[in-house]
Amino acid sequence: MFVRNGTVVCSASDLKAAVECEWGLMRKLDAKLGRVEAVPEPEDAMNRRAAALGDVHERRQLEEYLAGFGPHVPGSPGGVAVIERPEDSTDFAALAAAQEITLAAMRDGADVVFQATLFDGTFLGFADFLVRSTDGTGNRWAVYDTKLARRARVTALLQLAAYAEQLHGLGIPLDDTVHLLLGDGTLSSHRLDDIRPVFDTRMARLRQLVDARLADTGPIAWGAEGVAADGRCAECWAQVEARRDVLLVGRLTVHQRARLEAAGITTIDEFVASTGPIEGIGPAALQRLRLQAELQLRAEAADEAGGHLVQAEVIDPDGFAALPEPDAGDIFFDFEGDPLWSDDGRTWGLEYLFGVIDHDGGREHFRPFWAHNREQEKRALVAFLEYVAERRRRHPGLHIYHYADYERSHLQQLCARHGVGEAILDDLLRDHVLVDLYPTVLRTLRISERSYSLKKLEPLYMGDRLRESDVTNAADSVDAYVHYRALLDAGRAAEATGQLQQIADYNEYDCLSTLGLRDWLLARADELGIRRRPPLPAGSAKDIALDRREDRARDALLATMAAVPADERTPEQTASALAAAAIEYHRREDKSFWWEHFNREIAPVEAWAEQKDVLVVDPDASTVLQDWSRVGRKQSDSRTLRLVGALAPGSSLKQGDSAFVMYDDPPPVGCGSVPAGQRGEHGGGAVLRVRSLPDGRTAVDVEETAGRGDAGVAGAPRDRKSVGEGKSVHG
């Protein structure tokens, strides 16, 4: 977006920005109009690197087109026309000239136009690629855009529609489909007619916002009615801090802020001083948020008195019951990964360090498993899992502790990527060996920091070992690893080795920090008399035997083609390979569902609330339609619930689906065996009806069934057993 001679010119990227934060974009416009000082965007090395890699991806695609069509010669048909951007991209005359060059290349019959300039005086776009096709009625043009992402996003589709709209306005015949050239090499195609209604709405909204700004004489007010704000962008955050907005309260959402504002509460200080209920915020959530705000104000007072001290209070002692008994074989695990690493420009992400600390001989011992390319990543994964399996043989009761879900989810991704280690990982997940401390922290504690990252917790337990390093967070680690590779490529091996050691030191510290947090949490549990989580039941012998039979069947099929390259296989070997792949495919799809389901039993609701087919229930709006009773010849009791709440985007929950109704502790009768401090569920429930409500929420009627022979929960406190806060249903 820029302003020239009083005219505001928008771009396709402004559509994306408006979707993310209308208020922030309008505040930037105010700065361009000279009404306020611009708020500088924070430095983000990862974003800079992603942008540079995006340019490489775009250039690679251009080279492919040039190799296929050759360069375009003005005045002649065919080839790839490369349109140079004007030096001054705010010069109306230069932009109009660049658009004319674009149109001339299209009239000549160029096969591809790169960086097509599209400018109508109020909108400017530089389309990555326009590709010509002939359908018998003449030339038609399709819009292609390169995106480093591995899946299509709505904002990217809006950009495609914006370019198509400009071409339509110029009288250019358009193809029915627009395309994204994604970072993994796949082509994502979409019907323009499917995108256009959303684009029309978003474009009209953007123009409405701009017109309102131009009609005003002053800057947009913080909290302007009807203007959406994400509360997190640089522009918003400057206002949050300056006005002591309630968004300063850690883990308070924009939705909750709106509820507080409706009650006349706009600052953190007013919130702490408030009492009583707030409409739209449940009592338990409100209590947690008030305690969070109080602790933050206490920390502010300590800062003013001359020293910052992290404060913590236990809010739910029962949550400590999720912690197992310590074992001599326990492992403390942390990954280091670069999401933007690629060796082929198609497959992204490298876990370059698997770091663990164990206690062999009573001493802390750090074990790094390094990987600097895809094959080494596979070897590191196998070595790590074999190390864990061997250690479990010596210490059957060990657990692997980590902080937040990255380690679990990325182990799953790596096993799927490389096709190895899945049996070992199955055992770890089935036997509940992985222990994520993050859910325990969120449930049991409130601290005086906005963030609950491991770094923010460390002053509580690290003491004299509190970290002091050039590498202090995950982003620093990635930057250091990128620098390491650059030093290695430059032949500066000694400096590269030093850089790698800094990364190892950071990873070792994170593992030590996880150990320190585990011990600190156990000490708090001991102070409160909370018992340890009992050993959990292992997977059924039947399931384990079935997995082993499938493993043997797969291995027997693969053995028939050992060491035979794919392009040299006989028809019989090819058939065997396909059969082996089918076994793994269906097992992997099934495992993926159950791995995520088991994670929902322990992870914070907000960590999975937006997963497909998840409904987070509003307890105040939900009810029991039919209480526990035994119907007909059924062998167990059942009841019918009407659950009202937010259904995750992309869900397809419908009548006839099976569902799990998940409960916070204490779960009702009939829930499966779950460890203390975790969630239970009634599995195999039936979805009876799904309907959308006028306020945007969804009502789902579910019949749930108690265990065989159970007599339901007749006579139990209904509000705790049926629709208590934090419950969810997913099909």
Side-chain angles (χ1 to χ4, degrees), residues 3-15:
V3 180
R4 188 77 175 237
N5 299 326
T7 299
V8 176
V9 178
C10 297
S11 68
S13 61
D14 293 324
L15 278 170

Side-chain angles (χ1 to χ4, degrees), residues 64-146:
E64 288 184 16
Y65 280 132
L66 285 168
F69 297 109
H72 171 68
V73 177
S76 302
V80 179
V82 177
I83 311 301
E84 298 293 335
R85 290 196 184 190
E87 290 186 11
D88 182 358
S89 59
T90 69
D91 184 327
F92 279 28
L95 290 170
Q99 177 173 271
E100 181 52 38
I101 295 171
T102 298
L103 295 175
M106 298 171 77
R107 288 193 296 267
D108 287 344
D111 294 303
V112 178
V113 179
F114 173 63
Q115 286 295 293
T117 301
L118 304 170
F119 178 62
D120 66 2
T122 62
F123 184 91
L124 171 63
F126 297 103
D128 285 354
F129 298 98
L130 304 180
V131 180
R132 182 174 61 88
S133 63
T134 302
D135 62 359
T137 61
N139 293 332
R140 298 169 70 87
W141 292 87
V143 183
Y144 286 71
D145 212 37
T146 54

Side-chain angles (χ1 to χ4, degrees), residues 557-718:
L557 289 167
L558 292 175
T560 65
M561 69 202 78
V564 180
D567 58 355
E568 297 178 13
R569 290 173 181 165
T570 66
E572 292 78 10
Q573 289 172 331
T574 300
S576 295
L578 291 173
I583 291 174
E584 281 305 299
Y585 172 80
H586 291 291
R587 279 211 308 176
R588 188 173 295 127
E589 290 297 300
D590 191 45
K591 287 173 186 173
S592 178
F593 171 82
W594 286 109
W595 286 348
E596 292 304 323
H597 173 71
F598 294 143
N599 184 55
R600 291 181 188 122
E601 292 182 338
I602 58 174
V605 172
E606 56 265 36
W608 48 272
E610 295 189 2
Q611 290 180 358
K612 182 181 176 182
D613 292 336
V614 168
L615 176 85
V616 177
V617 175
D618 178 355
D620 296 327
S622 303
T623 187
V624 177
L625 296 179
Q626 175 64 51
D627 215 338
W628 292 104
S629 60
R630 191 159 301 189
V631 179
R633 303 178 64 180
K634 289 184 177 181
Q635 297 183 351
S636 59
D637 284 6
S638 63
R639 67 174 174 180
T640 304
L641 309 177
R642 174 159 294 162
L643 305 176
V644 176
L647 186 62
S651 297
S652 57
L653 201 63
K654 61 185 182 299
Q655 180 179 344
D657 284 347
S658 60
F660 292 90
V661 183
M662 306 193 77
Y663 292 86
D664 285 334
D665 196 42
V669 170
C671 282
S673 175
V674 293
Q678 297 185 12
R679 292 187 191 90
E681 75 261 352
H682 275 137
V687 176
L688 305 178
R689 185 185 183 195
V690 180
R691 59 192 176 91
S692 299
L693 301 179
D695 61 4
R697 294 183 299 174
T698 302
V700 180
D701 294 353
V702 178
E703 180 187 51
E704 61 175 357
T705 303
R708 181 182 293 267
D710 283 334
V713 290
R718 181 173 302 174

Side-chain angles (χ1 to χ4, degrees), residues 281-326:
I281 303 179
L286 185 61
Q287 181 182 12
R288 290 194 297 267
L289 289 171
R290 278 195 173 123
L291 177 56
Q292 179 69 50
E294 289 168 4
L295 285 172
Q296 287 179 219
L297 289 190
R298 272 191 240 158
E300 282 186 13
D303 288 347
E304 292 172 1
H308 181 72
L309 180 66
V310 176
Q311 302 181 40
E313 291 191 10
V314 176
I315 60 170
D316 186 356
D318 290 341
F320 289 121
L323 297 171
E325 190 72 33

